[in-house]
Amino acid sequence: MKLKFGTVEENVVTREEFPLEKAKEVLKEEVIAVLGYGVQGPGQALNLKDNGFNVIVGQRKGSKTWDKAIADGWVPGETLFELEEACEKGTILQFLLSDAGQIALWPTVKKHLTPGKALYFSHGFGVTYKDQTGIIPPADVDVILVAPKGSGTSLRRMFVEGRGLNSSYAIFQDATGKAKDRVVALGIGVGSGYLFETNFYKEVTSDLTGERGTLMGAIQGIFAAQYEVLRANGHTPSEAFNETVEELTQSLMPLVAENGMDWMYANCSTTAQRGALDWWKPFRDATKPVFEELYNSVKTGKEATKSIESNSKADYRVKLEAELKELRDSEMWQAGATVRKLRPENN
């Protein structure tokens, strides 16, 4: 159906117009092979299984994620296989390894993409940056995308709670004439609240911008800047953390999620409202050039190059853990650990 988002009309698919029973009918002859059991794999695989689809998991035997898959109920030799065997058995290959992992496994996956199969992504990275990744699908398979707007953990939690995480969907290649039905059915199957249409290029450029921007990078930068200013002016770690992070995540953002920013403002004091309305535009004007620089870095492929080069190194995990440890050990997030322990629900 078409719905207006502001003044712009967009194509969306809801559960009402494409119910789960229709999705199961569309995919009743398919074997969905979820390749990778790291970030998106568990949530999508478990949701599909619980929704009644024929799902198998492909993962490296002996890895921690292989053991996690077993703990989650996947059975070796029945629903859990080595990656290549899963590629052979699946008619829809859900390519959910990391971007670097996809590059490494691509020759194996490509070998098993026989005519009529579908290659499914949850990120447009590999196909969009094909000159750097080498991922060029054969012409006789469907190439589709469902990208949940959140982590696999959130996708699973919301599914278990009877809710849904919105997802984008895209068709890069329709070799069989069934790509639209396949991608929408899979989107419903993995637990999407609703699906909105995009393409591979727009998905990856918006996604990389969002991750580096307001969703992860910018929000940490803003948290750190305000916390440091408060601490430099004599505020305690507890006070600085509460006024910077805890109040936002526990009190205010749920109101934004419920009914928008103006609703959150309306539920705060007049003093808070006045300050917010006076200061949001200066913050926009100060940060917009940084976002423009970021988007240009994404658009030109610089971010893709950095990601591939960094994530392909043998010591990537060691360096990553060191960077995460720097965050974890910072005073702000150490204060946060204590604040979380003091929440009533944790006592």
Side-chain angles (χ1 to χ4, degrees), residues 2-21:
K2 288 186 180 292
L3 289 177
K4 276 194 172 182
F5 292 78
T7 60
V8 178
E9 196 170 66
E10 298 185 36
N11 291 319
V12 300
V13 181
T14 67
R15 296 179 181 184
E16 287 72 29
E17 65 179 300
F18 206 107
L20 180 60
E21 288 308 312

Side-chain angles (χ1 to χ4, degrees), residues 129-339:
Y129 300 114
K130 61 182 184 298
D131 292 340
Q132 298 177 64
T133 65
I135 297 176
I136 303 174
D140 52 8
V141 301
D142 293 343
V143 183
I144 54 181
L145 174 147
V146 174
K149 298 299 107 181
S151 72
T153 301
S154 299
L155 182 72
R156 181 59 179 169
R157 283 179 180 172
M158 292 175 77
F159 177 87
V160 171
E161 292 168 0
R163 301 160 65 203
L165 195 63
N166 302 330
S167 303
S168 60
Y169 76 94
I171 300 168
F172 181 79
Q173 189 168 279
D174 184 3
T176 66
K178 301 185 298 181
K180 176 69 179 292
D181 279 350
R182 273 173 151 175
V183 72
V184 172
L186 287 162
I188 297 299
V190 300
S192 302
Y194 77 89
L195 296 155
F196 62 94
E197 189 175 22
T198 188
N199 60 45
F200 275 57
Y201 173 78
K202 288 182 178 178
E203 190 284 327
V204 73
T205 49
S206 61
D207 189 65
L208 292 181
T209 300
E211 291 167 349
R212 287 148 179 77
T214 59
L215 302 178
M216 296 172 69
I219 195 72
Q220 165 61 18
I222 290 171
F223 283 163
Q226 178 170 304
Y227 182 88
E228 288 168 11
V229 167
L230 290 173
R231 289 288 289 123
N233 283 277
H235 298 271
T236 65
S238 174
E239 185 169 56
F241 187 86
N242 273 283
E243 294 293 349
T244 300
V245 180
E246 189 75 352
E247 184 174 349
L248 176 70
T249 58
Q250 298 301 297
S251 173
L252 302 183
M253 290 312 292
L255 292 174
V256 176
E258 180 183 323
N259 210 22
M261 187 67 75
D262 63 310
W263 171 248
M264 184 266 275
Y265 281 14
N267 281 275
C268 294
S269 71
T270 55
T271 302
Q273 291 170 14
R274 183 70 269 143
L277 290 167
D278 286 346
W279 277 93
W280 81 261
K281 288 180 182 177
F283 276 109
R284 177 200 62 191
D285 295 343
T287 59
K288 191 174 179 181
V290 181
F291 281 99
E292 288 170 340
E293 179 185 355
L294 165 59
Y295 191 82
N296 186 62
S297 186
V298 170
K299 186 170 65 173
T300 58
K302 289 181 183 177
E303 292 302 308
T305 299
K306 284 192 284 187
S307 179
I308 291 168
E309 289 178 352
S310 173
N311 298 351
S312 298
K313 291 179 180 177
D315 61 351
Y316 164 70
R317 289 289 174 188
V318 174
K319 289 183 175 179
L320 172 67
E321 180 52 37
E323 290 180 285
L324 293 176
K325 186 175 186 298
E326 181 185 354
L327 284 179
R328 187 166 57 248
D329 291 348
S330 68
E331 184 190 87
M332 180 172 72
W333 290 111
Q334 286 296 304
T338 302
V339 170

